[in-house]
Amino acid sequence: SSDVCSSDLGVGKAQRASDWLVIPLCPEHHRGSKGWHGTREEFKRHSINEWDILADTIELVAKNMKG
């Protein structure tokens, strides 16, 4: 599936950062039981946090802008 959910990066419970600070996640990794709003098991297993995902996203966007 090509569905993408944007997940806001917060600085604490019920707090949101800027609308520019979002990470793209598929529905399962966003709201699934092991996803971002679940246990985060998949992310923990790979030692990935939201800032790592944001950095990877920025890098991919920059590469795609260059052509």
Side-chain angles (χ1 to χ4, degrees), residues 22-24 52-62:
V22 296
I23 54 175
D52 296 326
I53 298 168
L54 180 62
D56 289 345
T57 301
I58 292 168
E59 184 177 349
L60 286 170
V61 169

Side-chain angles (χ1 to χ4, degrees), residues 7-18 21 36 50-51:
S7 182
D8 296 303
L9 300 185
V11 290
K13 274 198 170 208
Q15 295 178 338
R16 286 183 48 196
S18 162
L21 296 177
W36 204 253
E50 61 264 51
W51 300 107

Side-chain angles (χ1 to χ4, degrees), residues 25-64:
L25 298 170
C26 71
E28 178 63 27
H29 282 103
H30 187 216
R31 298 227 179 257
S33 63
K34 297 178 184 178
W36 204 253
H37 293 289
T39 63
R40 296 189 183 187
E41 183 178 317
E42 291 295 315
F43 298 97
K44 291 174 185 174
R45 188 169 54 128
H46 296 286
S47 299
I48 298 171
N49 65 37
E50 61 264 51
W51 300 107
D52 296 326
I53 298 168
L54 180 62
D56 289 345
T57 301
I58 292 168
E59 184 177 349
L60 286 170
V61 169
K63 284 180 182 178
N64 285 322

